[in-house]
Amino acid sequence: MSALPQLKALGDPIPDRDHAISVHFPTWDDVRDYGAGKPRVANALQNGYPRSHLHKYNQALFAKCGREFVAPSEELVLFSDYQTAEDCKIFITSQRVHSANAANPRDVLLVLVEFNKAQDASSAEDILFIPRLYGVVHPAEFRKVKMTFWRLTGTGISSRLAEFCLRKDFTITRVSEPPLKQPPPAELPVYDTIRKRVAEFLNRAPTNPGRAQRAKSDDVYLYPSGIAAIYHVHHALPKWRDSDIMMLGFPYELTIKMIEAMNVPHRFLSAGTEGDIDELERLLVEKSRKGQKIQSVWCECPNNPMLRTSNLKRVRKLANQYDFTFVVDDTIGSFANVDVIDVADIVVTSLSKYFNGFADVLAGSIFLNSNFPHYPELKNAFNAEYTNNLYLADAMRLELNSRGYLERFTQQNNTASAVVDFLCPYTSDAKSTLATVYYPKVCWSKTNYQYVMRPATEDFTPGYGGFLSVDFDTVAAASAFFDSLPFYKGPSFGADIPISIPYVQLVLQQEKTWASSHGLSETLVRISVGMVEKHSMLECVKKALQAADATRNA
């Protein structure tokens, strides 16, 4: 993409693709009102991020199946496997999570929906189609709770799977007891192709060419979303050690709520600074004196949306000394730019972002690192519970899209870096409303990022990522800047299209005070540069900054 996109109306899918994973919010007020739950915006949505908004195909499938089984006062939601449906029921009926507002377990049913294969099935999709889904039938009043589970876990069925199921006849029956464990269905080579591709990118241009073990494709696990990968790590790790976890650096709001819902003991160390790691070390020393160990430390590389990178090398040393697992989410740096295999026991990646690159597939992966001593135990824990629920048509689209990963990322690295170079001088200009630019190369943690930055090769020169965040003195300036950007406006990043969003207004509207206490301002705007030509991007940002600065004299 070289030209700027043709803008859409409030609630339209972005990009303009049938299985788009984002939605357009043209103005700051639209985002703010959506975050606040205002019907004006909610009722206008024709699409949304699939974990937060049911796609039209999902809605149609759930309604179609529900007509055969569900009472008018009930609703149905479908998942790809029994265990996830059971987890959803447990969540909806949990008095620990919802107190007196929990559903009565007698009112929540599990059902099996079996779809019929066509007699003349010929396509790979027909032949290998999973003919059964598991549903949760619940009172309609618990719709919001059900959607919280859908959003927190990312384990719901995809819009492509729903679209395919809509073309099939089916039978639906109540599940009275867990089904017998069945062997996994046969997989087409596309899954192995994706696993091998992920492993190849994990291995290319290593920061440590002499490391003992290279990434192997059978240590890559695929999931239907990045957050589903995280959810299943939280499921698997207690099988290895059921103890405290620590989150280092500003975490995703979803991860916090997920582990609270799962009743996982945790501690949040907000900034990921050396001071925070000092605190982590003090906690580890204290527990060691008591003969206790934590389970894991989690962080992003770098984190979202402030793009700070913790001292991963130091955390690895603590993991070796105090015997815990180190989980690193490399989605934002992306494995084209960063190599975390020398520090992380487990690497979590949202493949929906840069790897897919077209904002039309949700997918995620986990890599188990055989270079560290707990690998055999972790491997057993993951294998014991793993089910590949990445739907075939999504895998096929992901494989196709990811072929141009390095080529796209080269341009995005360069464009984002140029925008940062343009904006940074304004942060020290008293006449400008621009307060801060967040990007790894201009951050206090630059050396931490560079520690895991891959060396350049003939086919790719690593950079600092394809999005940046900017912060302003006032809400008026931030909103003027955002409204003036001729970009798509919505969630997600890493696509071929430019996408901008005021992060707190969308994600943490109800937790602004909490976010502010951890240094995250409601005036922050995140910009994913997409594949727009560099000069056009700079012109757009320049005009938007002029609009922001004009608010000072308004």
Side-chain angles (χ1 to χ4, degrees), residues 244 246 277-297 314-315 317-324:
D244 294 12
M246 305 289 178
I277 301 178
D278 289 341
E279 183 179 351
L280 170 64
E281 187 167 9
R282 285 193 293 270
L283 290 168
L284 294 169
V285 169
E286 181 181 342
K287 284 185 173 291
S288 180
R289 287 172 179 164
K290 298 176 181 178
Q292 300 173 347
K293 297 178 181 180
I294 68 170
Q295 177 209 88
S296 55
V297 171
R314 184 180 172 194
V315 178
K317 288 181 179 178
L318 292 175
N320 294 340
Q321 183 176 357
Y322 294 99
D323 189 32
F324 59 83

Side-chain angles (χ1 to χ4, degrees), residues 3 5 8 37 67 75 193 269 301 307 324 327 348 420 472 512 530:
K8 301 291 183 180
R67 284 194 293 270
E75 292 184 359
T193 298
L269 304 170
C301 177
L307 300 170
F324 59 83
V327 184
V348 180
V420 169
F472 292 85
K512 286 182 181 180

Side-chain angles (χ1 to χ4, degrees), residues 380-431:
N380 289 336
F382 275 83
N383 286 346
E385 74 144 32
Y386 179 66
T387 301
N388 179 10
N389 285 332
L390 178 61
Y391 177 51
L392 176 60
D394 292 307
M396 294 171 71
R397 175 55 57 180
L398 179 66
E399 189 280 321
L400 179 65
N401 289 351
S402 62
R403 295 177 189 179
Y405 169 57
L406 288 184
E407 182 181 354
R408 290 193 311 272
F409 215 0
T410 295
Q411 181 174 338
Q412 293 187 51
N413 275 333
N414 292 339
T415 301
S417 182
V419 173
V420 169
D421 290 343
F422 169 75
L423 287 174
C424 276
Y426 289 94
T427 61
S428 56
D429 185 344
K431 297 178 181 178

Side-chain angles (χ1 to χ4, degrees), residues 50 68 70-71 74 83 118 131 176 190 192 199 203 220 232 245 284 306 314 333 335 380 427 430 451 520 547-548:
E68 300 292 325
V70 176
E74 296 175 325
Q83 186 57 58
S176 56
V190 64
D192 196 43
N203 285 323
V220 176
H232 284 287
I245 72 170
L284 294 169
M306 301 170 81
R314 184 180 172 194
F335 37 60
N380 289 336
T427 61
Y451 173 73
L520 186 56

Side-chain angles (χ1 to χ4, degrees), residues 70-378:
V70 176
S73 60
E74 296 175 325
E75 292 184 359
L76 170 73
V77 61
L78 295 172
F79 298 94
S80 294
D81 65 277
Y82 172 83
Q83 186 57 58
T84 305
E86 174 71 12
D87 289 347
C88 182
K89 177 180 179 179
I90 291 170
F91 181 81
I92 293 173
T93 60
S94 173
Q95 292 185 350
R96 178 186 57 78
V97 177
H98 308 295
S99 302
N101 296 320
N104 188 320
R106 292 192 299 272
D107 297 332
V108 182
L109 309 178
L110 298 185
V111 296
L112 170 64
V113 185
E114 296 184 281
F115 295 87
N116 302 325
K117 287 186 178 180
Q119 294 296 321
D120 58 346
S122 57
S123 71
E125 193 172 17
D126 267 310
I127 294 169
L128 293 181
F129 170 62
I130 301 172
R132 55 177 57 193
L133 298 174
Y134 288 90
V136 181
V137 179
H138 62 88
E141 64 193 88
F142 295 97
R143 176 184 302 151
K144 185 175 181 180
V145 178
K146 175 264 304 288
M147 284 305 300
T148 297
F149 179 85
W150 183 279
R151 183 171 65 94
L152 290 180
T153 67
T155 53
I157 66 170
S158 78
S159 57
R160 285 184 177 85
L161 176 52
E163 180 187 26
F164 188 74
C165 290
L166 281 168
R167 303 197 296 266
K168 302 292 180 181
D169 296 326
F170 64 91
T171 57
I172 182 168
T173 55
R174 180 173 178 177
V175 178
S176 56
E177 59 185 28
L180 295 175
K181 184 80 172 177
Q182 293 185 330
E187 288 190 352
L188 276 182
V190 64
Y191 293 104
D192 196 43
T193 298
I194 295 171
R195 293 188 185 102
K196 287 179 178 177
R197 188 166 296 160
V198 170
E200 287 168 1
F201 282 124
L202 289 168
N203 285 323
R204 69 171 300 281
T207 57
N208 173 18
R211 68 170 56 110
Q213 299 290 333
R214 289 170 57 83
K216 302 184 292 293
S217 62
D218 61 357
D219 287 329
V220 176
Y221 296 76
L222 300 177
Y223 294 89
S225 68
I227 205 72
I230 292 171
Y231 179 72
H232 284 287
V233 174
H234 282 303
H235 255 288
L237 281 181
K239 294 179 174 64
W240 168 70
R241 180 184 297 162
D242 194 5
S243 186
D244 294 12
I245 72 170
M246 305 289 178
M247 292 182 291
L248 191 62
F250 192 87
Y252 351 73
E253 164 253 8
L254 285 176
T255 303
I256 296 172
K257 292 184 177 179
M258 178 197 301
I259 64 175
E260 288 174 346
M262 295 175 71
N263 201 28
V264 177
H266 65 283
R267 179 82 176 255
F268 170 37
L269 304 170
S270 62
T273 62
E274 291 299 316
D276 285 321
I277 301 178
D278 289 341
E279 183 179 351
L280 170 64
E281 187 167 9
R282 285 193 293 270
L283 290 168
L284 294 169
V285 169
E286 181 181 342
K287 284 185 173 291
S288 180
R289 287 172 179 164
K290 298 176 181 178
Q292 300 173 347
K293 297 178 181 180
I294 68 170
Q295 177 209 88
S296 55
V297 171
W298 291 64
C299 76
E300 295 175 279
C301 177
N303 69 0
N304 182 24
M306 301 170 81
L307 300 170
R308 295 165 172 168
T309 308
S310 297
N311 187 336
L312 306 181
K313 182 179 181 181
R314 184 180 172 194
V315 178
R316 180 69 253 169
K317 288 181 179 178
L318 292 175
N320 294 340
Q321 183 176 357
Y322 294 99
D323 189 32
F324 59 83
T325 58
F326 189 21
V327 184
V328 178
D329 186 332
D330 69 348
T331 299
I332 294 172
S334 197
F335 37 60
N337 284 332
V338 298
D339 174 11
V340 298
I341 295 183
D342 276 350
V343 295
D345 295 88
I346 301 173
V347 182
V348 180
T349 309
S350 172
L351 302 178
S352 317
K353 308 302 193 298
Y354 294 112
F355 184 77
N356 178 62
F358 290 91
D360 60 355
V361 175
L362 284 190
S365 68
I366 289 168
F367 167 69
L368 299 183
N369 191 351
S370 59
N371 286 281
F372 294 112
H374 290 302
Y375 166 78
E377 303 158 82
L378 295 175

